């Protein structure tokens, strides 16, 4: 995976800190936010780690995974065991051998304990994901896509670790990175919520376009010709 995909994502984290500053949070020391990142191939999380190393304030990261819990097991068992992906409702995170794991491993010297000091892993199954989507909608009217819901559930479970007085004191600000519009996942959303999902105009336009597929052999000249025609 080209590093060029990750560099623009670093901006999300700096932008979030700037927003917190506007809201009155001091983005330094213990008031730097905890970033909760729905994670599959770990590109977004890796971008956040790089951003933190360049100086963007970040107290900690939470890697929120679905049943494809390879990274969770790496931290808990201190052994990396890639495996075939498992199908879930948060399908963009169905990755059993994240290609960005090598970058995270490099940053922390292949040391799971050192990695865990910066990243807390958590995972949720489809049942917890659906419960979270329903709960947030009932309380706020906001419709989360399944991937964001995995992150939301993770934060609800771990946020007390980042507060004072055993969870009874003030919490460190948590920033949950939402990942997609729920209209892309209507087939797996709860039945009672599906009628409330409004499809954005940009997505409507995409549905009207004709898909094109051009077979290209593993030949550089042929690929170049297709890209430049």
């Amino acid at each position: 995976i080209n590093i060029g995909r990750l560099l623009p994502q670093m901006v999300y984290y700096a932008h979030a800190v700037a927003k917190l500053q506007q809201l009155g949070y001091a983005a330094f020391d213990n008031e730097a936010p905890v970033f909760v990142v729905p994670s599959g191939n770990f590109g977004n999380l890796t971008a956040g780690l790089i951003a933190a190393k360049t100086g963007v304030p970040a107290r900690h990261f939470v890697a929120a995974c679905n049943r494809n819990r390879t990274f969770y097991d790496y931290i808990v068992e201190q052994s990396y065991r890639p495996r075939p992906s498992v199908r879930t409702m948060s399908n963009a995170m169905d990755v059993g051998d994240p290609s960005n794991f090598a970058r995270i491993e490099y940053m922390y010297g292949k040391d799971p304990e050192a990695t865990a000091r910066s990243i807390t892993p958590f995972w949720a199954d489809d049942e917890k994901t659906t419960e979270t989507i329903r709960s947030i909608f009932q309380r706020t009217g906001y419709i989360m896509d399944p991937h964001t819901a995995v992150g939301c559930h993770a934060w609800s479970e771990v946020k007390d670790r980042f507060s004072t007085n055993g969870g009874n004191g003030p919490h460190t600000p948590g920033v949950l990175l939402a990942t997609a519009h729920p209209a892309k996942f209507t087939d797996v959303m709860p039945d009672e919520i599906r009628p409330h999902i409004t499809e954005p105009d940009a997505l409507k336009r995409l549905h009207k376009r004709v898909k094109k597929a051009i077979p290209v052999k593993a030949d550089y000249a042929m690929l170049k010709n297709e890209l430049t025609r």
Side-chain angles (χ1 to χ4, degrees):
I1 302 295
N2 195 308
I3 191 70
R5 287 191 61 184
L6 308 186
L7 298 180
Q9 290 178 299
M10 294 168 59
V11 179
Y12 302 161
Y13 297 87
H15 180 71
V17 170
K19 285 292 184 181
L20 285 175
Q21 289 176 328
Q22 291 176 7
L23 293 172
Y25 291 99
F28 55 84
D29 298 331
N30 288 334
E31 292 193 31
V34 175
F35 287 101
V36 185
V37 190
S39 300
N41 206 34
F42 283 75
N44 203 346
L45 179 64
T46 302
L49 297 172
I50 297 172
K53 286 184 177 295
T54 65
V56 174
R59 178 178 176 183
H60 198 76
F61 291 86
V62 177
C65 306
N66 57 27
R67 286 181 58 212
N68 295 274
R69 44 182 281 181
T70 307
F71 184 80
Y72 176 91
D73 291 342
Y74 167 71
I75 297 297
V76 173
E77 301 173 5
Q78 300 194 359
S79 175
Y80 186 71
R81 295 183 293 106
R83 64 204 72 172
S85 61
V86 177
R87 186 182 178 90
T88 75
M89 64 187 294
S90 48
N91 56 23
M93 290 160 38
D94 293 349
V95 183
D97 185 12
S99 59
N100 285 291
F101 174 76
R103 291 187 169 120
I104 296 175
E105 191 178 40
Y106 175 82
M107 280 191 272
Y108 293 97
K110 298 186 177 182
D111 183 349
E113 292 185 359
T115 308
R117 288 194 285 272
S118 293
I119 309 169
T120 293
F122 200 87
W123 72 279
D125 58 19
D126 283 355
E127 182 179 4
K128 291 293 185 183
T129 303
T130 302
E131 287 178 7
T132 301
I133 293 171
R134 285 195 170 110
S135 174
I136 293 297
F137 179 73
Q138 290 167 1
R139 288 194 292 115
T140 70
Y142 182 80
I143 303 176
M144 282 186 168
D145 77 281
H147 308 74
T148 307
V150 171
C152 185
H153 175 68
W155 180 238
S156 71
E157 293 292 318
V158 306
K159 65 181 180 180
D160 285 349
R161 304 179 193 180
F162 305 99
S163 68
T164 57
N165 193 25
N168 296 316
H171 286 89
T172 291
V175 176
L176 168 60
L177 278 75
T179 57
H181 195 283
K184 294 177 65 177
F185 308 97
T186 52
D187 57 328
V188 297
M189 296 293 283
D191 292 340
E192 71 276 18
I193 295 177
R194 196 175 297 131
H196 299 278
I197 300 173
T198 302
E199 190 174 58
D201 290 339
L203 194 55
K204 290 179 182 178
R205 289 194 295 270
L206 284 177
H207 285 162
K208 294 177 181 178
R209 299 184 68 174
V210 178
K211 292 183 180 180
K212 290 184 179 180
I214 303 173
V216 178
K217 295 181 180 179
D219 179 86
Y220 176 76
M222 189 177 295
L223 174 63
K224 181 179 180 181
N225 180 61
E226 291 295 339
L227 294 176
T228 57
R229 64 162 57 194

